[in-house]
Amino acid sequence: MQEIYMCGPDVTEYEEKIVLDALRNCWYGKQAYYYVELFEKEFAEYHRRQYALMTPNCTSAIHLLLSGLGIKEGDEVIVPDCTWIGTAAPVVYQRAIPVFADIDEYDWCIRCDDVISKITSKTKAVIAVDLYGNMPNFDSLADICNKNNLFLIEDAAEALGSKYNNKPAGKFGIGSTFSFHRTKTITTGEGGMLLLDDEKLYQRCKFLRDHGRSPGSYFSTEVTFKYMPSNLAAALGYAQFKRLDELVNKKRWIWQSFKNNFSDMTDLYFNPEPENVFNGVWDTAMVFGYSHNLTKAYVLESLNKANMPSRPFFYPLSMLPAFGGNVVRGQQNCPVAYSVSERGINLPCSLILTKDQIDFMSEVLRKIILRQNV
Ligand SMILES: Cc1ncc(COP(=O)(O)O)c(C=O)c1O
């Protein structure tokens, strides 16, 4: 059997054709940013947003937005404890303070009641994450943010193709962000996108993206960032985006295939899909219910010994040395994040996975769960 890869894109002759066009024809005059502008325009339209800015990655898109909103030293920004570090690192880049809120046991997203309990006079924003493609209760979050005069930001890095009440992931809050990392549903190698509706904020973020200058001018009025996108990367992203439905279908097929293979076992949980959500399932994750008495460390090690790829469920950020690593306090503060994370793993999500590979891996995993010899 072909090696089972943890993650990676599906790239076809169509992408080759578009990237080759960019490589051959898009260096001069108006062509220099042809694919960047086309990708931004169509990406914004698809997400029912007014504006899009492509960035070198999602982390820089979040940073650009926080900076554009004027988040500064000493401000507090509430983020879910369980997410990738890229959600919270840009808060620290601004010398602001990430405040960790707990996640929900069943939807794995930030808990509204805990957001409320973490609001102080210093809170300026909430970054809600569409974790593993599922989406939090955006109606309540919008309400909480409106009442408390906070900016709501949607980190949709893992949710391209997801929907909440039939609205696309990326349509929520004052701004939303996406990742086109090699491991994501569509890729540009490294890349990201910031979506906005407010024109002033868009102009501000655009200015901040390119050394605080107006296009074509060498006259900078502020020291800002250099978060400009590359036309070649945008060409790849544009071509991948044209295949979005097909790629999301494949992701959902991987998720459904794993679920089917374990449908006879109880107390196992996969990426949630509540009634009002359509989950784009960037990566299939699996959480072991308490009855299995399994830890992610044990399962990951057993899979590794059997030469099967897997990754840990995201760690609670509050336990990472990067954020002080106070596990005791973190656990008191966000008990669900610690509990779910400790019992969860990421299964392979490569877009070239086959049914045979999923079935083979499922058999190995089943034996590990049942503590049989692999
Ligand atoms: C929830 C979340 N936020 C942010 C990021 C950062 O994305 P990037 O690697 O493009 O900076 C990721 C990427 O994995 C993510 O999953």
Side-chain angles (χ1 to χ4, degrees), residues 57-59 62 83-84 86-87 129 155 157-158 179 181 184 191 314:
N57 49 56
C58 180
T59 307
I62 297 172
T83 176
W84 176 243
T87 308
V129 177
D155 178 354
E158 301 175 9
S179 171
H181 186 254
K184 292 295 190 290
F314 292 113

Side-chain angles (χ1 to χ4, degrees), residues 8-9 32 53 77 89-90 126 153 160 167 190 217 246 272 318 370:
L53 288 168
V77 177
V126 175
I153 295 169
L160 183 55
K167 282 193 207 159
E190 287 276 0
S217 123
E246 177 196 342
S318 60
L370 297 173

Side-chain angles (χ1 to χ4, degrees), residues 20-214:
L20 197 59
D21 178 52
L23 189 63
R24 285 188 176 150
N25 304 316
C26 297
W27 298 106
Y28 300 103
K30 284 191 174 149
Q31 296 298 313
Y33 283 99
Y34 175 77
Y35 280 107
V36 170
E37 284 163 11
L38 189 64
F39 186 26
E40 286 178 343
K41 180 174 170 291
E42 294 200 12
F43 202 82
E45 278 168 8
Y46 174 91
H47 291 95
R48 306 184 209 166
R49 289 280 199 181
Q50 295 298 314
Y51 306 103
L53 288 168
M54 189 178 169
T55 54
N57 49 56
C58 180
T59 307
S60 49
I62 297 172
H63 189 202
L64 200 56
L65 178 55
L66 292 175
S67 179
L69 291 170
I71 302 297
K72 58 179 193 319
E73 185 160 5
D75 289 345
E76 292 180 0
V77 177
I78 298 175
V79 300
D81 199 12
C82 221
T83 176
W84 176 243
I85 186 170
T87 308
V91 176
V92 181
Y93 300 167
Q94 288 299 103
R95 297 175 188 272
I97 302 156
V99 173
F100 302 116
D102 209 355
I103 60 166
D104 181 86
E105 170 96 37
Y106 299 103
D107 74 19
W108 304 353
C109 292
I110 198 163
R111 263 177 41 204
C112 295
D113 60 335
D114 209 36
V115 169
I116 293 170
S117 81
K118 300 281 156 68
I119 293 173
T120 71
S121 59
K122 291 182 185 163
T123 311
K124 292 287 163 14
V126 175
I127 307 180
V129 177
D130 302 331
L131 205 74
Y132 293 101
N134 191 27
M135 298 178 67
N137 186 338
F138 272 113
D139 296 321
S140 293
L141 285 170
D143 210 39
I144 294 164
C145 288
N146 281 339
K147 281 189 184 134
N148 292 279
N149 207 16
L150 308 176
F151 297 119
L152 175 60
I153 295 169
E154 181 188 7
D155 178 354
E158 301 175 9
L160 183 55
S162 292
K163 291 189 181 79
Y164 174 90
N165 289 342
N166 272 325
K167 282 193 207 159
K171 179 57 190 160
F172 297 86
I174 190 151
S176 57
T177 58
F178 286 90
S179 171
F180 309 130
H181 186 254
R182 177 185 68 87
T183 54
K184 292 295 190 290
T185 303
I186 73 168
T187 192
T188 56
E190 287 276 0
M193 194 76 86
L194 169 61
L195 295 181
L196 301 162
D197 287 321
D198 182 271
E199 204 213 328
K200 247 172 117 179
L201 182 60
Y202 164 68
Q203 294 298 351
R204 177 73 186 154
C205 290
K206 199 170 177 191
F207 168 83
L208 292 170
R209 189 176 65 163
D210 192 12
H211 281 314
R213 64 187 185 125
S214 47

